[in-house]
Amino acid sequence: MKSPDPKYVETLKKMVKESPYPAHMRMTLEEIEMDRCEILIRLSECHLQPFGIVHGGVVATIIDTATFWAAFLRLPEDYGLVNIDLKLNYLLPVVEGSLVAKGFCIRPGRSVSYAEAKVFNGQGKLVAHGTSGLMALPGKGIDLGIPKFS
């Protein structure tokens, strides 16, 4: 199995961190390799719903993001990707700290891939699980000026 070029990975992580929505969510792409990734959200008051619990949409966002990046590296360089469905289960409430999502591509495909993510709180407890189908989009790739693989 191929390993991505380390320079590509670092450039990709920086691009994601500086993108508007991940920056707004305080979300970073911590690790990415073939069929796997790790996403981190450092929680703050803006992530809470009126009852002081992290909003379900925050958890859905990290699952959506982790499934996306878990499937991303298998794509040809000129291809993008979009989630076409998202199914998740909330297992425990979270009120502070951080969320870490570990994403895994469990069935890569040329046009549709299938991925899952597990979300853990700062104490390492599983707080949510989700799956997503992802559709490849020709001509919508991310050009970082560096090949994915060396």
Side-chain angles (χ1 to χ4, degrees):
M1 189 179 319
K2 291 183 188 179
S3 293
D5 183 292
K7 188 173 180 185
Y8 179 88
V9 168
E10 289 309 309
T11 304
L12 182 65
K13 288 166 138 182
K14 184 176 188 280
M15 187 264 320
V16 171
K17 185 176 184 175
E18 294 173 354
S19 295
Y21 188 67
H24 170 75
M25 291 298 294
R26 297 175 170 94
M27 181 169 52
T28 54
L29 174 60
E30 294 290 304
E31 296 177 22
I32 185 168
E33 54 192 58
M34 191 66 78
D35 297 333
R36 180 188 158 322
C37 74
E38 189 170 296
I39 307 297
L40 171 69
I41 293 180
R42 290 175 180 84
L43 298 170
S44 68
E45 191 175 351
C46 72
H47 296 106
L48 303 179
Q49 42 92 309
F51 298 101
I53 298 169
V54 172
H55 192 283
V58 175
V59 177
T61 290
I62 200 171
I63 290 172
D64 179 81
T65 302
T67 56
F68 176 95
W69 291 114
F72 177 77
L73 287 178
R74 285 205 178 256
L75 296 173
E77 299 226 9
D78 63 334
Y79 274 57
L81 194 63
V82 64
N83 292 62
I84 55 175
D85 73 355
L86 183 65
K87 298 171 187 149
L88 58 117
N89 296 97
Y90 302 101
L91 305 173
L92 287 174
V94 177
V95 296
E96 63 183 359
S98 61
L99 294 175
V100 174
K102 297 181 182 210
F104 302 92
C105 185
I106 55 178
R107 192 214 171 267
R110 283 182 287 197
S111 57
V112 176
S113 296
Y114 192 69
E116 72 171 343
K118 293 181 179 180
V119 182
F120 301 89
N121 65 15
Q123 292 74 46
K125 291 185 179 178
L126 182 66
V127 299
H129 173 267
T131 59
S132 182
L134 301 113
M135 183 174 60
L137 299 173
K140 297 291 185 182
I142 299 170
D143 182 7
L144 298 177
I146 302 163
K148 279 185 185 179
F149 303 98
S150 44

